[in-house]
């Protein structure tokens, strides 16, 4: 996201303004970067991909996509289909159904067999729809959803600033022991101890996943559904927010830090 969104150098307008250079090239930009670790994927209990030669394709206004050498996909699991799509920046994509372990995933894999000249380096690479496989591994660590972008950073800092959460004239929470989370391309978020929340929290059914922070559970407060989220067991690098809560800001709720 740091490269392709939020005003990054690979986003299409506006892009960064505080620079002493100009990019000479198309407004829609592609950047293929080696992924530095081993990647594996499974379907039906069988390994269908094992590679140390993966890449992340960074593309303007899109999340990075993992591409892998077709030669590192297990022989016999890809079956060509008639489906195809066209990208004006990469060319015509061919598709394959994936079959392994008694499972079948239609059009789960795509690749550019004759990519446009500007993206010629995609020749020989294929990409998978992540949710069409049963399991992904970054080295031996399970991965859910997207692989992490090395240009995306998340930092946490403990703070003694006075943080107040207000809905209209009502104070929902107030703390001087919050944690500030800064994440590339996203506004700063304050995480507060639950003891500093002044209204009841009721667990809702909503759950979301972030590849950088983990699984978020949500809570209702009186008068507002899914008003608060929390990472009970956050991923490495953001353990400081474990069990803390953050409020969804909007027209009704504002978070202020003095």
């Amino acid at each position: 996201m740091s490269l392709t969104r939020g005003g990054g150098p690979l986003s299409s307008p506006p892009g960064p303004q505080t620079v002493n250079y100009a990019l000479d090239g198309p407004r829609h930009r592609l950047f293929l970067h080696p992924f530095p670790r081993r990647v594996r994927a499974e379907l039906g209990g069988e390994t269908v991909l094992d590679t140390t030669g993966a890449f992340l394709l960074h593309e303007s206004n899109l999340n990075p996509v993992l591409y892998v050498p077709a030669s590192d996909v297990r022989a016999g699991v890809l079956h060509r289909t008639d489906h195809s799509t066209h990208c004006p920046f990469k060319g015509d994509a061919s598709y394959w159904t994936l079959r392994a372990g008694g499972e079948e995933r239609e059009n789960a894999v795509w690749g550019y067999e004759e990519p446009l000249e500007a993206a010629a380096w995609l020749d020989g690479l294929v990409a998978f729809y992540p949710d069409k496989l049963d399991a992904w591994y970054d080295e031996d660590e399970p991965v859910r959803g997207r692989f992490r972008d090395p240009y995306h950073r998340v930092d946490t800092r403990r703070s003694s600033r006075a943080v107040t959460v207000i809905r209209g004239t009502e104070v929902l929470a107030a703390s001087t022991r919050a944690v500030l989370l800064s994440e590339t391309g996203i506004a700063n978020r304050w995480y507060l101890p639950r003891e500093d929340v002044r209204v009841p929290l009721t667990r809702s059914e909503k759950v979301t996943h972030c590849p950088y922070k983990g699984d978020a559970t949500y809570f209702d407060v009186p008068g507002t559904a899914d008003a608060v989220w929390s990472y009970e067991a956050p991923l490495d690098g953001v353990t400081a927010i474990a069990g803390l809560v953050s409020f969804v800001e909007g027209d009704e709720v504002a978070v202020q830090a003095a």
Side-chain angles (χ1 to χ4, degrees), residues 52-114:
T52 56
F55 296 86
L56 279 176
L57 177 64
H58 302 264
E59 184 169 357
S60 293
N61 311 315
L62 299 173
N63 289 320
V65 174
L66 189 80
Y67 279 77
V68 301
S71 56
D72 289 341
V73 179
R74 200 182 90 192
V77 300
L78 295 183
H79 303 270
R80 184 183 296 274
T81 72
D82 294 332
H83 184 61
S84 66
T85 58
H86 177 75
C87 171
F89 312 105
K90 301 186 290 291
D92 294 319
S94 302
Y95 284 75
W96 293 265
T97 288
L98 183 63
R99 296 176 188 153
E103 299 288 337
E104 178 175 296
R105 300 291 188 270
E106 186 177 1
N107 294 322
V109 183
W110 76 91
Y112 296 89
E113 297 179 284
E114 296 182 3

Side-chain angles (χ1 to χ4, degrees), residues 25-43:
R27 292 161 68 90
H28 189 97
R29 302 166 184 129
L30 304 173
F31 168 45
L32 191 72
H33 188 273
F35 187 79
R37 296 180 294 276
R38 181 188 184 192
V39 172
R40 290 177 294 136
E42 295 176 350
L43 180 64

